[in-house]
Amino acid sequence: MNNCDIVKDLLPLYADDVCSEESIKAVEEHINGCPTCRSELEKLRQNVSISPQKDGEVLKRIKRRLRIEKLIVGLISVLAICGVMIFGLMYLLNTAESMDVKKYNIPNNLNVTIHGNELYLVVDGEAAAFWYTFPTISDTDGDHMGYGTGFDREKKNGYGITFKQRKIESIAIARIKGKCEIKLFDIEKNKAMDKFFYYDDVNNKEYVLWERDKND
Ligand SMILES: [Zn+2]
């Protein structure tokens, strides 16, 4: 093994400043008289000095990417939370619940009036703002069905409505005060309708608001 080979083995250690004093001396002496090993050392030093810069750039790029990823995850989380909240609010606003009839004094706030042949429901009181109205059909057995689903048409004797309210009653689009008339149906064209009622589905109680005069 010649001196150059020994020095080349030592050069990386020399460049990193981890040589013993003896080795440092030997390497420096050799380098002074050997251009090949000197240029070898230059190369090593350049590599050493370039790599921190490169590392820095790579690190910056990684950090930037992590920041973007964090931002995206944050945005998705915010959107997901907003979505859940909107869905929850929609559910509370649009899911019908049986109405507290006593609280809104419903039986006393409802009556029926006739204009010509048309039957109108007259509503009085603020409960109107919380309503959902479900058509309800009654039969001679005293059964009541919303929308007449699965209903025995032969036994049908009356048409009515069942009020429902929103799950959160405090959110109302408008509080209707005073009287409000809602058109129901033409009593001449709907001969099959013998009565119109309001059905309290909590207490299973029917309040007849209009009944056909059998002598007509
Ligand atoms: Zn040499």
Side-chain angles (χ1 to χ4, degrees):
M1 210 191 245
N2 63 30
N3 283 350
C4 280
D5 287 332
I6 296 166
V7 168
K8 266 175 195 162
D9 283 343
L10 284 171
L11 277 179
L13 300 174
Y14 177 81
D16 283 345
D17 276 331
V18 289
C19 277
S20 65
E21 264 179 60
E22 246 178 281
S23 300
I24 290 170
K25 250 188 197 172
V27 168
E28 279 171 357
E29 265 173 35
H30 178 81
I31 279 172
N32 283 337
C34 175
T36 317
C37 286
R38 199 157 52 228
S39 74
E40 195 71 24
L41 179 65
E42 290 300 309
K43 267 190 230 163
L44 276 174
R45 280 189 167 147
Q46 266 173 2
N47 283 344
V48 165
S49 67
I50 281 165
S51 58
Q53 250 180 333
K54 273 189 181 168
D55 282 358
E57 264 171 49
V58 169
L59 207 65
K60 253 190 224 167
R61 224 177 298 149
I62 289 169
K63 273 186 182 168
R64 199 183 308 144
R65 196 177 301 162
L66 280 175
R67 262 205 306 276
I68 291 168
E69 277 173 9
K70 251 191 206 169
L71 199 73
I72 289 168
V73 168
L75 274 175
I76 289 169
S77 305
V78 167
L79 283 176
I81 291 166
C82 283
V84 167
M85 284 173 74
I86 288 168
F87 185 81
L89 195 63
M90 284 314 201
Y91 173 78
L92 289 173
L93 280 176
N94 296 316
T95 306
E97 199 172 58
S98 289
M99 196 167 210
D100 186 341
V101 167
K102 279 181 193 154
K103 183 178 174 183
Y104 294 112
N105 197 20
I106 294 290
N108 293 332
N109 283 340
L110 297 182
N111 59 75
V112 154
T113 189
I114 295 172
H115 300 307
N117 289 327
E118 282 174 342
L119 202 64
Y120 282 81
L121 177 69
V122 183
V123 182
D124 202 359
E126 68 170 306
F130 307 120
W131 289 356
Y132 290 103
T133 309
F134 289 84
T136 303
I137 291 167
S138 70
D139 69 12
T140 48
D141 293 339
D143 292 326
H144 294 83
M145 306 273 179
Y147 301 108
T149 318
F151 192 80
D152 184 352
R153 287 181 165 273
E154 295 302 307
K155 292 179 181 172
K156 188 166 80 178
N157 75 343
Y159 171 78
I161 48 171
T162 303
F163 291 129
K164 301 267 187 184
Q165 68 185 70
R166 300 179 198 284
K167 283 203 176 291
I168 36 171
E169 59 182 85
S170 57
I171 296 180
I173 310 303
R175 279 173 183 265
I176 299 166
K177 292 258 187 186
K179 281 193 183 1
C180 160
E181 286 192 2
I182 301 157
K183 188 178 159 184
L184 295 169
F185 54 84
D186 189 311
I187 55 174
E188 286 306 310
K189 286 179 187 160
N190 294 277
K191 290 281 189 193
M193 298 299 181
D194 283 334
K195 63 175 175 178
F196 180 80
F197 60 87
Y198 157 61
Y199 183 62
D200 170 4
D201 70 336
V202 177
N203 304 300
N204 296 324
K205 202 172 168 189
E206 183 184 290
Y207 297 86
V208 176
L209 300 171
W210 169 83
E211 216 159 353
R212 192 180 292 277
D213 190 341
K214 296 294 179 191
N215 299 323
D216 279 3

